[in-house]
Amino acid sequence: MSAVGESLPRIRVTEARVTRSEWTKLRSVRSTIWSLGVSLLLIIGIGILVCVIFESRWPNLAPHERAHFQPLRASLVGVNFAQLAIGVLGVLVITAEYSTGSIRSTLSAVPKRLPVLWSKVLVFGAVAFVVSLPAVFIVFFAGQAILTGQHINIAFSHPGVARSLVGAALYITVMGLFGLGLGAIVRSTAGGISALAAIVFVLPPIVGLLPSSVSNSVDPYLPSNAGGAVWTIHPDPNTLAPWAGFGVFCAYAAVAVAIAAVLLVRRDA
């Protein structure tokens, strides 16, 4: 038998072990399953529904409505709604631990703290992308099969389609990481979700009310507008180029995570 008082062997904290821990946390929380399920339902369900509506109403649409119809956008319209579900999940990934107080145990086990944040970013980003990528491909092929009935579909080989589909999954993923960063900054579920909703859904309409000279200069650089260019075949003239806009969006998320990292080290749990 071991002598009384003999110290137990200490398990070395590594990034891989912290990452496995964060993966266990993420998949064992009920909100993860619900949020991912809602995201899939929104992406696939709404996209198919919109394609069915256009296919059935096509003979009765006015000429100008037909001229502005974009089959890819019809398939991916659900992405506009799913981004909120993934963004909210990103907020919950970090704020749920603050609300329950379990963050203290986490940071006690990982005193350097930053590996916890990096692992959350890595695990959640990977899960969000792995879930959203198949979803956008499923809704694209299903939606275009529906639109074939009126011969208004678009082929996967059409220039920009593949980039838009992958871009939609990347956009959703970065939106989730942006929510994670905001949640880590405010450390409140309500505050993080409010901040995300304000930046993504409230700020663009407010900017649109400004004089056109100001609005046209600011609007392309707003997070959702900049990132949205990457999953559009023909971005609006006033928006950024697809990958340039996505780069700007990634910069927003990176800044949010960087600020969260600084605050995580400086603030008490």
Side-chain angles (χ1 to χ4, degrees), residues 10-15 17-19 21-22 25 97 101-116 269:
R10 298 186 62 183
I11 298 177
R12 185 164 159 267
V13 176
T14 65
E15 190 67 41
R17 285 172 174 154
V18 177
T19 299
S21 174
E22 292 302 326
K25 290 181 195 176
E97 289 197 63
S102 61
I103 190 66
R104 297 186 182 91
S105 300
T106 298
L107 298 182
S108 296
V110 189
K112 291 185 178 180
R113 297 192 174 194
L114 288 182
V116 173

Side-chain angles (χ1 to χ4, degrees), residues 39-57 69-79 81 134-148 152:
S39 300
L40 288 173
L41 180 63
L42 292 172
I43 294 173
I44 298 175
I46 293 181
I48 290 177
L49 177 61
V50 169
C51 289
V52 168
I53 292 173
F54 270 106
E55 194 276 338
S56 62
R57 295 185 59 230
F69 175 71
Q70 297 183 32
L72 178 65
R73 179 170 291 184
S75 290
L76 298 183
V77 68
V79 172
F81 300 92
V136 296
F137 273 84
I138 289 170
V139 75
F140 170 76
F141 286 109
Q144 300 313 305
I146 294 169
L147 296 175
T148 302
I152 53 176

Side-chain angles (χ1 to χ4, degrees), residues 21-29 32 89 93 123-124 127:
S21 174
E22 292 302 326
W23 164 239
T24 301
K25 290 181 195 176
L26 184 64
R27 63 188 173 89
S28 61
V29 177
T32 300
L89 180 57
V93 165
V123 170
F124 178 66
V127 169

Side-chain angles (χ1 to χ4, degrees), residues 2 6 20 81 93 109 112 118 122 129 141:
S2 301
E6 181 180 351
R20 283 197 297 269
F81 300 92
V93 165
K112 291 185 178 180
W118 306 146
L122 176 63
F129 184 73
F141 286 109

Side-chain angles (χ1 to χ4, degrees), residues 231-244:
W231 54 281
T232 304
I233 292 183
H234 304 294
D236 295 333
N238 292 329
T239 60
L240 300 174
W243 291 115

